Amino acid sequence: MKTADVLTLSPAGLYCPMGDFHIDPTRPSPRALITHGHADHARAGHGAVMATRETLDIMALRYGEGFTRSRQVAEPGRATRVGEVDVTFHPAGHVLGSAQILIEAKGFRVVVSGDYKRARDPTCAPFEPVRCDAFITEATFGLPVFRHPEASAEVERLISSIKLFPDRAHVIGVYSLGKAQRVMALIREAGWDRPFHIHGALEKISRYYADAGARLGEFTKVATAEKLGLAGEIVLCPPSAIADRWSAGFADPVRALASGWMRIRAFARRGSAQLPLVISDHADWDALRDTVVETGCSELWVTHGATEPLTHWARARGLDAKPLDMVGYGDEEAAVEEAAP
Amino acid sequence: MNEFARLLDRLALEPGRNDKVRLLTAYFASTTDPDRGLALAAMAGDLPVPGIRPAMARALVASRVDPDLFAMSYDFVGDLAETIALIWPRDGERGHNNPPAPTLSVVVEALRATGKTALPARLAALLDDLDEIGRWALLKLLMGGLRIGVSARLAKTAVAALGPVSADDIEEVWHGLAPPYEDLFAWAEGKGPRPQSSDAAPFRPPMLAHALDDASLAALVPGDFIAEWKWDGARAQAAVFTLADGERGARLYSRAGEDLGGAFPDMLDALRGAGFPDAVFDGELLVRDEKGAARPFSDLQARLNRKNPTPKMLRDMPPLLRLYDLLTLEGEDLRPSPFMERRARLEAVARGVQHPAFDLSPTRTFDSIAELVEVRKNAPLESEGLMLKRRDAPYVSGRPTGQWWKWKRDPMEVDAVLMYAQRGHGKRASLYSDYTFGVWRGSELVPVGKAYFGFTDAELKQLDKWVREHSVSRFGPVREVAHEPANGLVLQIAFEGLNRSPRHKSGLAMRFPRVARIRWDKPPAEADRIEALEALLPVGPPETKPSVPRESA
């Protein structure tokens, strides 16, 4: 048994012939296993979808209940027979409901990790390393210049900026699924107890997170009429709203963006951010390497992101590594924010 | 050092002037001596540390990091200092028992006390002790190229905001002071006396112009204003004075108050030796050729970039100060006087001096806006356009409204053919965003320049797509694209000026070229010819004094 028997590349993405299913297909497919709810991985229009309960809920929130003809809940840690293989979902620590998918075929183990991170996130289950023969990883931040700082330190910078500029609104650009809620929870942990003011595009998912137990505290949708009155307050919106007219209505706003890309100054400048917050829901360079080592894999496929450097590193360690450079996974951090649900 | 680095990092992204001042003032208020004074020196360009060359920084990182991974990272980030700061390994991870990171004064002291041969090892040790933002700031300070949008003036304004003193007060004592400015901070905080300035010729903040908009042009009364060319050099303030021992003294400042005397010792000599009375001039600093004519801005830039000029520079690129205002004369402050009166006194002083390092910026009157429009159309190629100065305007520091206008000329344009495209850096690393373009010489295209801005993000995507679909060959990150008379892409290129350049195959060098329009409609055969560009060159060697039809006085 070898990896190519278990997984192949089809025009729609990763395909398992022995189980006759795709994982995170980028076009409508008869049977899809979905790692998490971000739009580039979870698309509407498949015949049947298998995912964690949270991912299914999130897809229904975003696309409506008719996003697929039939659906099946994957219980984390419990193997399910699909065709000639067993599949098991394990937490990936990326966003609420995110999972890695273990495929076992006659004792040969392949893990498709989807997107993942190793840093602490109070709003979702932590990543679980899974031993495997072949590991299929992302490499969004697969360059040694990406080493994310402690998220709590970034939140401290935000809080001290609010103290220095109490007459300005702090408007933070965050992705609507995962980043928004994680940032709110981290700010709560830092002791901020005032209500958050959020863009309408963040509302549905944030309510879902709060109902699922995330400690986000009070948050309300921003009304256009009250924007000027929000000096000294924290406002959250999708990244695209940072640069456009939406954020201009606030009192002399300090524009912040929370993303791993903010480590690079050119990105912060281009994103119109005055306060770049290096907070990422992806593994950084160190975490990618540590994870590859922990899985004990002898073969590594790198799906998207900076595939070349990670492949280069893995080969130097004696791993059989190959870059896939799959298109379609723009990574939600780089992709244009989905339209408001 | 890490705190100072965080300040710089934030300043670089904060566009608002007042917000920058608040960040700076908060830093000065919460930081002790001598660190805050060294920070002030760093922003004023007076930090006493050795510079390092990119080659040394590269060698340093090569000793620590896999060269392939470094190359891939640098290609992605696009900035050497930033790449090194981010990729620097954290082998000696700081635990809670480690000593705190070094302060700015510890870093400065360590570098000052280190000789050239020991510098790389010392720098590496400092990089080990700093975090990624601290490393970035240190490397930028040592390698140059720290762009945080903070002038010395702005930093002084922030010091002034600590207490009752004004920024102009600080300006008046500034040039007698040295880092770490402890007496200055004590004074600014109301805790000490005014520092004694030993300077005979303090910097006087200059008067600045507003850009002329259509409404202001329409409202302009021709009889109230005088026109001058806007020279393409560097604004400078020059002072000549008498020292205590009766000798002549001189000083040269940039428009931000930086002392340019080190970079232009020959200009100081000229000021002292030309026979001027004690005076403070406002003028344009240029570099002249052997015939006395102004040379291209790039030559001036080369001298401005050097703290100490090479003997060859002193020989081949002597400076020229084109005078246009007189602030003081023999101890009398002329700044409250009307411009026409200052101008008359300036002309009288200039008449008494014959020296190749000085000439007078000519003025002219105009009777109508229509006439002014014509004048601007014929602006000499070594000017950037027109300056309009109110006849009765006093000399007021800062940018008073309605007194001085600058009216830049329209950019020159040429239709050129895209020949090569190169991948950009940073966020553009995956896009072909740097374009080499050419014009026809006979039946072949000859490259005349390179542009990497002027287009929107949407146009960039279209250009990138076009490049990928029309590539004929590749050399590393560069693609050659189809460029034949009937097959290729025409770019309308705008630029600010044109000079002869032996370094380019075409013999021409453009200033600020950018893509004004993508001419999807135009076949390459109809692009411009080299003769069209050559016609835009300054004629022969430019004249010493560009002819201006009517002198005003």
PDB file of all heavy atoms in Angstrom, chain B residues 172-193:
ATOM      1  N   GLU B 172      15.544  76.846  17.852  1.00  0.00           N
ATOM      2  CA  GLU B 172      16.528  77.915  18.045  1.00  0.00           C
ATOM      3  C   GLU B 172      17.737  77.451  18.860  1.00  0.00           C
ATOM      4  O   GLU B 172      18.818  77.993  18.716  1.00  0.00           O
ATOM      5  CB  GLU B 172      15.878  79.118  18.746  1.00  0.00           C
ATOM      6  CG  GLU B 172      14.639  79.641  18.031  1.00  0.00           C
ATOM      7  CD  GLU B 172      14.901  80.879  17.173  1.00  0.00           C
ATOM      8  OE1 GLU B 172      15.766  81.678  17.556  1.00  0.00           O
ATOM      9  OE2 GLU B 172      14.240  81.012  16.116  1.00  0.00           O
ATOM     10  N   VAL B 173      17.558  76.467  19.726  1.00  0.00           N
ATOM     11  CA  VAL B 173      18.701  76.013  20.531  1.00  0.00           C
ATOM     12  C   VAL B 173      19.301  74.714  19.995  1.00  0.00           C
ATOM     13  O   VAL B 173      20.398  74.315  20.371  1.00  0.00           O
ATOM     14  CB  VAL B 173      18.310  75.786  22.021  1.00  0.00           C
ATOM     15  CG1 VAL B 173      17.761  77.059  22.615  1.00  0.00           C
ATOM     16  CG2 VAL B 173      17.306  74.648  22.162  1.00  0.00           C
ATOM     17  N   TRP B 174      18.589  74.044  19.074  1.00  0.00           N
ATOM     18  CA  TRP B 174      18.902  72.676  18.669  1.00  0.00           C
ATOM     19  C   TRP B 174      20.339  72.457  18.236  1.00  0.00           C
ATOM     20  O   TRP B 174      21.000  71.512  18.676  1.00  0.00           O
ATOM     21  CB  TRP B 174      17.944  72.247  17.553  1.00  0.00           C
ATOM     22  CG  TRP B 174      18.223  70.891  17.014  1.00  0.00           C
ATOM     23  CD1 TRP B 174      18.858  70.584  15.854  1.00  0.00           C
ATOM     24  CD2 TRP B 174      17.896  69.642  17.628  1.00  0.00           C
ATOM     25  NE1 TRP B 174      18.935  69.235  15.691  1.00  0.00           N
ATOM     26  CE2 TRP B 174      18.357  68.625  16.770  1.00  0.00           C
ATOM     27  CE3 TRP B 174      17.262  69.285  18.824  1.00  0.00           C
ATOM     28  CZ2 TRP B 174      18.196  67.276  17.063  1.00  0.00           C
ATOM     29  CZ3 TRP B 174      17.111  67.936  19.102  1.00  0.00           C
ATOM     30  CH2 TRP B 174      17.569  66.954  18.233  1.00  0.00           C
ATOM     31  N   HIS B 175      20.843  73.328  17.362  1.00  0.00           N
ATOM     32  CA  HIS B 175      22.137  73.017  16.762  1.00  0.00           C
ATOM     33  C   HIS B 175      23.321  73.235  17.693  1.00  0.00           C
ATOM     34  O   HIS B 175      24.452  72.964  17.312  1.00  0.00           O
ATOM     35  CB  HIS B 175      22.293  73.731  15.432  1.00  0.00           C
ATOM     36  CG  HIS B 175      21.496  73.042  14.362  1.00  0.00           C
ATOM     37  ND1 HIS B 175      21.956  71.931  13.698  1.00  0.00           N
ATOM     38  CD2 HIS B 175      20.247  73.271  13.902  1.00  0.00           C
ATOM     39  CE1 HIS B 175      21.029  71.513  12.853  1.00  0.00           C
ATOM     40  NE2 HIS B 175      19.982  72.303  12.949  1.00  0.00           N
ATOM     41  N   GLY B 176      23.053  73.677  18.917  1.00  0.00           N
ATOM     42  CA  GLY B 176      24.136  73.731  19.885  1.00  0.00           C
ATOM     43  C   GLY B 176      24.140  72.505  20.787  1.00  0.00           C
ATOM     44  O   GLY B 176      24.991  72.382  21.664  1.00  0.00           O
ATOM     45  N   LEU B 177      23.204  71.595  20.560  1.00  0.00           N
ATOM     46  CA  LEU B 177      23.037  70.458  21.477  1.00  0.00           C
ATOM     47  C   LEU B 177      23.548  69.156  20.860  1.00  0.00           C
ATOM     48  O   LEU B 177      23.714  69.060  19.649  1.00  0.00           O
ATOM     49  CB  LEU B 177      21.560  70.289  21.826  1.00  0.00           C
ATOM     50  CG  LEU B 177      20.853  71.549  22.349  1.00  0.00           C
ATOM     51  CD1 LEU B 177      19.384  71.259  22.601  1.00  0.00           C
ATOM     52  CD2 LEU B 177      21.532  72.040  23.629  1.00  0.00           C
ATOM     53  N   ALA B 178      23.774  68.172  21.714  1.00  0.00           N
ATOM     54  CA  ALA B 178      24.253  66.874  21.231  1.00  0.00           C
ATOM     55  C   ALA B 178      23.498  65.768  21.959  1.00  0.00           C
ATOM     56  O   ALA B 178      23.019  65.966  23.080  1.00  0.00           O
ATOM     57  CB  ALA B 178      25.758  66.755  21.487  1.00  0.00           C
ATOM     58  N   PRO B 179      23.382  64.596  21.339  1.00  0.00           N
ATOM     59  CA  PRO B 179      22.744  63.461  22.028  1.00  0.00           C
ATOM     60  C   PRO B 179      23.482  63.190  23.339  1.00  0.00           C
ATOM     61  O   PRO B 179      24.695  63.364  23.372  1.00  0.00           O
ATOM     62  CB  PRO B 179      22.921  62.287  21.050  1.00  0.00           C
ATOM     63  CG  PRO B 179      23.230  62.925  19.732  1.00  0.00           C
ATOM     64  CD  PRO B 179      23.879  64.238  20.028  1.00  0.00           C
ATOM     65  N   PRO B 180      22.804  62.747  24.385  1.00  0.00           N
ATOM     66  CA  PRO B 180      21.375  62.369  24.457  1.00  0.00           C
ATOM     67  C   PRO B 180      20.444  63.501  24.910  1.00  0.00           C
ATOM     68  O   PRO B 180      19.349  63.190  25.375  1.00  0.00           O
ATOM     69  CB  PRO B 180      21.386  61.231  25.456  1.00  0.00           C
ATOM     70  CG  PRO B 180      22.489  61.589  26.403  1.00  0.00           C
ATOM     71  CD  PRO B 180      23.522  62.327  25.600  1.00  0.00           C
ATOM     72  N   TYR B 181      20.811  64.728  24.752  1.00  0.00           N
ATOM     73  CA  TYR B 181      19.889  65.874  24.928  1.00  0.00           C
ATOM     74  C   TYR B 181      19.225  65.921  26.301  1.00  0.00           C
ATOM     75  O   TYR B 181      18.055  66.295  26.413  1.00  0.00           O
ATOM     76  CB  TYR B 181      18.796  65.851  23.856  1.00  0.00           C
ATOM     77  CG  TYR B 181      19.316  65.738  22.441  1.00  0.00           C
ATOM     78  CD1 TYR B 181      19.097  64.586  21.690  1.00  0.00           C
ATOM     79  CD2 TYR B 181      20.006  66.789  21.856  1.00  0.00           C
ATOM     80  CE1 TYR B 181      19.575  64.481  20.387  1.00  0.00           C
ATOM     81  CE2 TYR B 181      20.490  66.694  20.554  1.00  0.00           C
ATOM     82  CZ  TYR B 181      20.263  65.532  19.837  1.00  0.00           C
ATOM     83  OH  TYR B 181      20.737  65.424  18.562  1.00  0.00           O
ATOM     84  N   GLU B 182      19.968  65.581  27.357  1.00  0.00           N
ATOM     85  CA  GLU B 182      19.321  65.544  28.679  1.00  0.00           C
ATOM     86  C   GLU B 182      18.869  66.934  29.117  1.00  0.00           C
ATOM     87  O   GLU B 182      17.795  67.089  29.709  1.00  0.00           O
ATOM     88  CB  GLU B 182      20.275  64.916  29.704  1.00  0.00           C
ATOM     89  CG  GLU B 182      20.420  63.427  29.425  1.00  0.00           C
ATOM     90  CD  GLU B 182      21.397  62.725  30.351  1.00  0.00           C
ATOM     91  OE1 GLU B 182      21.744  63.281  31.394  1.00  0.00           O
ATOM     92  OE2 GLU B 182      21.794  61.600  30.010  1.00  0.00           O
ATOM     93  N   ASP B 183      19.689  67.970  28.804  1.00  0.00           N
ATOM     94  CA  ASP B 183      19.303  69.332  29.207  1.00  0.00           C
ATOM     95  C   ASP B 183      18.078  69.808  28.421  1.00  0.00           C
ATOM     96  O   ASP B 183      17.235  70.529  28.940  1.00  0.00           O
ATOM     97  CB  ASP B 183      20.475  70.301  29.036  1.00  0.00           C
ATOM     98  CG  ASP B 183      21.200  70.116  27.712  1.00  0.00           C
ATOM     99  OD1 ASP B 183      20.882  69.149  26.977  1.00  0.00           O
ATOM    100  OD2 ASP B 183      22.083  70.932  27.390  1.00  0.00           O
ATOM    101  N   LEU B 184      17.959  69.357  27.168  1.00  0.00           N
ATOM    102  CA  LEU B 184      16.794  69.729  26.359  1.00  0.00           C
ATOM    103  C   LEU B 184      15.511  69.143  26.956  1.00  0.00           C
ATOM    104  O   LEU B 184      14.501  69.844  27.106  1.00  0.00           O
ATOM    105  CB  LEU B 184      16.981  69.231  24.922  1.00  0.00           C
ATOM    106  CG  LEU B 184      15.772  69.412  24.005  1.00  0.00           C
ATOM    107  CD1 LEU B 184      15.529  70.884  23.710  1.00  0.00           C
ATOM    108  CD2 LEU B 184      15.935  68.639  22.701  1.00  0.00           C
ATOM    109  N   PHE B 185      15.555  67.856  27.312  1.00  0.00           N
ATOM    110  CA  PHE B 185      14.362  67.230  27.888  1.00  0.00           C
ATOM    111  C   PHE B 185      14.003  67.882  29.226  1.00  0.00           C
ATOM    112  O   PHE B 185      12.825  68.097  29.522  1.00  0.00           O
ATOM    113  CB  PHE B 185      14.562  65.721  28.048  1.00  0.00           C
ATOM    114  CG  PHE B 185      14.338  64.953  26.775  1.00  0.00           C
ATOM    115  CD1 PHE B 185      15.409  64.482  26.034  1.00  0.00           C
ATOM    116  CD2 PHE B 185      13.059  64.728  26.305  1.00  0.00           C
ATOM    117  CE1 PHE B 185      15.210  63.790  24.847  1.00  0.00           C
ATOM    118  CE2 PHE B 185      12.838  64.041  25.118  1.00  0.00           C
ATOM    119  CZ  PHE B 185      13.917  63.563  24.386  1.00  0.00           C
ATOM    120  N   ALA B 186      15.020  68.192  30.042  1.00  0.00           N
ATOM    121  CA  ALA B 186      14.754  68.833  31.335  1.00  0.00           C
ATOM    122  C   ALA B 186      14.054  70.173  31.115  1.00  0.00           C
ATOM    123  O   ALA B 186      13.064  70.509  31.796  1.00  0.00           O
ATOM    124  CB  ALA B 186      16.064  69.026  32.089  1.00  0.00           C
ATOM    125  N   TRP B 187      14.518  70.920  30.119  1.00  0.00           N
ATOM    126  CA  TRP B 187      13.903  72.224  29.807  1.00  0.00           C
ATOM    127  C   TRP B 187      12.472  72.031  29.296  1.00  0.00           C
ATOM    128  O   TRP B 187      11.533  72.694  29.739  1.00  0.00           O
ATOM    129  CB  TRP B 187      14.785  72.924  28.757  1.00  0.00           C
ATOM    130  CG  TRP B 187      14.269  74.246  28.274  1.00  0.00           C
ATOM    131  CD1 TRP B 187      13.805  75.282  29.026  1.00  0.00           C
ATOM    132  CD2 TRP B 187      14.171  74.655  26.902  1.00  0.00           C
ATOM    133  NE1 TRP B 187      13.426  76.322  28.219  1.00  0.00           N
ATOM    134  CE2 TRP B 187      13.647  75.976  26.902  1.00  0.00           C
ATOM    135  CE3 TRP B 187      14.494  74.064  25.679  1.00  0.00           C
ATOM    136  CZ2 TRP B 187      13.426  76.686  25.732  1.00  0.00           C
ATOM    137  CZ3 TRP B 187      14.288  74.776  24.513  1.00  0.00           C
ATOM    138  CH2 TRP B 187      13.752  76.081  24.545  1.00  0.00           C
ATOM    139  N   ALA B 188      12.306  71.072  28.378  1.00  0.00           N
ATOM    140  CA  ALA B 188      10.991  70.854  27.778  1.00  0.00           C
ATOM    141  C   ALA B 188       9.968  70.419  28.826  1.00  0.00           C
ATOM    142  O   ALA B 188       8.784  70.723  28.707  1.00  0.00           O
ATOM    143  CB  ALA B 188      11.089  69.811  26.671  1.00  0.00           C
ATOM    144  N   GLU B 189      10.445  69.730  29.876  1.00  0.00           N
ATOM    145  CA  GLU B 189       9.518  69.274  30.915  1.00  0.00           C
ATOM    146  C   GLU B 189       9.371  70.302  32.032  1.00  0.00           C
ATOM    147  O   GLU B 189       8.736  70.019  33.054  1.00  0.00           O
ATOM    148  CB  GLU B 189      10.004  67.938  31.499  1.00  0.00           C
ATOM    149  CG  GLU B 189       9.839  66.786  30.515  1.00  0.00           C
ATOM    150  CD  GLU B 189      10.274  65.444  31.068  1.00  0.00           C
ATOM    151  OE1 GLU B 189      11.284  65.387  31.815  1.00  0.00           O
ATOM    152  OE2 GLU B 189       9.619  64.450  30.750  1.00  0.00           O
ATOM    153  N   GLY B 190       9.973  71.472  31.834  1.00  0.00           N
ATOM    154  CA  GLY B 190       9.863  72.515  32.847  1.00  0.00           C
ATOM    155  C   GLY B 190      10.701  72.243  34.081  1.00  0.00           C
ATOM    156  O   GLY B 190      10.452  72.794  35.139  1.00  0.00           O
ATOM    157  N   LYS B 191      11.709  71.378  33.961  1.00  0.00           N
ATOM    158  CA  LYS B 191      12.515  71.011  35.134  1.00  0.00           C
ATOM    159  C   LYS B 191      13.918  71.602  35.076  1.00  0.00           C
ATOM    160  O   LYS B 191      14.739  71.339  35.949  1.00  0.00           O
ATOM    161  CB  LYS B 191      12.642  69.480  35.221  1.00  0.00           C
ATOM    162  CG  LYS B 191      11.331  68.773  35.511  1.00  0.00           C
ATOM    163  CD  LYS B 191      11.518  67.264  35.422  1.00  0.00           C
ATOM    164  CE  LYS B 191      10.181  66.544  35.541  1.00  0.00           C
ATOM    165  NZ  LYS B 191      10.281  65.157  35.042  1.00  0.00           N
ATOM    166  N   GLY B 192      14.221  72.330  34.018  1.00  0.00           N
ATOM    167  CA  GLY B 192      15.582  72.863  33.908  1.00  0.00           C
ATOM    168  C   GLY B 192      15.586  74.141  33.107  1.00  0.00           C
ATOM    169  O   GLY B 192      14.578  74.505  32.493  1.00  0.00           O
ATOM    170  N   PRO B 193      16.740  74.844  33.093  1.00  0.00           N
ATOM    171  CA  PRO B 193      16.833  76.101  32.347  1.00  0.00           C
ATOM    172  C   PRO B 193      16.937  75.853  30.845  1.00  0.00           C
ATOM    173  O   PRO B 193      17.203  74.736  30.411  1.00  0.00           O
ATOM    174  CB  PRO B 193      18.119  76.719  32.886  1.00  0.00           C
ATOM    175  CG  PRO B 193      18.963  75.536  33.249  1.00  0.00           C
ATOM    176  CD  PRO B 193      18.011  74.485  33.734  1.00  0.00           C
TER     177      PRO B 193
END
